[in-house]
Amino acid sequence: MEKKYSVAIYPSQDVIDSVKTMKDYLKSKIEWYNSCNSVAHITICEFTIEESEIEKIKLKLVKISDTFTPFQSYLDHFDYYENSGAFFIAPNEGSKINLKQILKKTQETLKALKLKKSDDPHMSIGRKLTPENLKIASQLFTTINLDFLCNNIVLRELDPIKKQFFVIDTFPFGSNPQPELIQGSLF
């Protein structure tokens, strides 16, 4: 049976709780909206595969996460994508560079799959918001200062009834960077 999966970065419980409070506050102002009930995370990619194939994916995630080194990630401003109606918390420049490396290398590891990828690390507060609701969110939330130790990635499975992802496995960073293979020339 085909199932939908997501690979993501989960922040600390403190950050998850802070983001939930923000989502609940926004919901009290504009009512239900896309992702109002999802747990705070930074999406790396999503894909749909046969359930029987997931163990192979887990092995690839074990291998790639072992090469990553934990780092402190700082989320210091709000931003939005007008075209998709996404309002989100964004990382500072240094954290963005580190997070992009995690996204890129993880996506490269899973490139054989048909991935829905994210190349701009962010933590959504709301998605598919109307222009009016984007404006409300921008007025409600103006300053932010959160940080967490980015030290693992998670594999999530979509619950088709709740329409929410839930974590099925966690892959800790092993601080074992692999030497980059450089294509050389013999002549």
Side-chain angles (χ1 to χ4, degrees), residues 2-10 34-35 38-39 41-50 54 57 61 102-103 106-119 122 124 127-128 154-159 163-166:
E2 276 200 339
K3 289 191 175 184
K4 189 170 186 177
Y5 298 93
S6 163
V7 181
I9 295 168
Y10 267 29
N34 283 73
S35 80
S38 70
V39 175
H41 65 280
I42 296 171
T43 300
I44 297 174
C45 61
E46 293 179 8
F47 54 90
T48 303
I49 59 166
E50 287 294 327
I54 199 63
I57 302 305
L61 293 173
I102 305 275
L103 270 60
T106 304
Q107 292 164 357
E108 182 65 23
T109 297
L110 302 176
K111 70 182 176 197
L113 301 171
K114 188 176 178 192
L115 298 178
K116 179 180 168 191
K117 300 187 281 190
S118 171
D119 58 1
H122 63 279
S124 294
R127 292 182 306 109
K128 298 181 184 172
V154 297
L155 177 63
R156 307 179 310 158
E157 182 181 311
L158 183 68
D159 179 328
K163 297 197 181 335
Q164 291 292 327
F165 284 101
F166 62 95

Side-chain angles (χ1 to χ4, degrees), residues 18-180:
S18 294
V19 172
K20 179 166 179 16
T21 301
M22 286 181 250
K23 288 181 176 216
D24 289 347
Y25 185 57
L26 181 59
K27 190 175 172 184
S28 76
K29 301 294 181 188
I30 66 172
E31 299 184 352
W32 185 92
Y33 61 90
N34 283 73
S35 80
C36 66
N37 296 318
S38 70
V39 175
H41 65 280
I42 296 171
T43 300
I44 297 174
C45 61
E46 293 179 8
F47 54 90
T48 303
I49 59 166
E50 287 294 327
E51 189 177 10
S52 60
E53 297 291 307
I54 199 63
E55 290 307 315
K56 291 177 191 168
I57 302 305
K58 287 181 181 183
L59 290 174
K60 289 181 178 190
L61 293 173
V62 164
K63 203 169 187 175
I64 192 63
S65 63
D66 187 53
T67 70
F68 299 141
T69 300
F71 61 92
Q72 203 65 24
S73 188
Y74 298 91
L75 305 165
D76 68 353
H77 63 284
F78 292 102
D79 206 347
Y80 59 90
Y81 302 128
E82 209 162 343
N83 60 341
S84 66
F87 183 77
F88 57 87
I89 307 168
N92 69 11
E93 221 32 62
S95 297
K96 187 174 192 169
I97 291 166
N98 288 333
L99 290 165
K100 274 189 166 190
Q101 287 182 329
I102 305 275
L103 270 60
K104 187 178 173 188
K105 288 181 177 179
T106 304
Q107 292 164 357
E108 182 65 23
T109 297
L110 302 176
K111 70 182 176 197
L113 301 171
K114 188 176 178 192
L115 298 178
K116 179 180 168 191
K117 300 187 281 190
S118 171
D119 58 1
D120 188 27
H122 63 279
M123 197 171 288
S124 294
I125 300 292
R127 292 182 306 109
K128 298 181 184 172
L129 298 176
T130 63
E132 299 80 35
N133 287 344
L134 262 180
K135 186 177 179 188
I136 290 168
S138 297
Q139 291 168 342
L140 290 176
F141 306 110
T142 55
T143 59
I144 187 84
N145 185 11
L146 298 172
D147 68 281
F148 66 95
L149 181 64
C150 182
N151 61 0
N152 64 57
I153 56 178
V154 297
L155 177 63
R156 307 179 310 158
E157 182 181 311
L158 183 68
D159 179 328
I161 291 142
K162 291 184 180 176
K163 297 197 181 335
Q164 291 292 327
F165 284 101
F166 62 95
V167 175
I168 58 170
D169 216 334
T170 302
F171 305 92
F173 294 175
S175 302
N176 292 311
Q178 304 295 315
E180 298 278 333

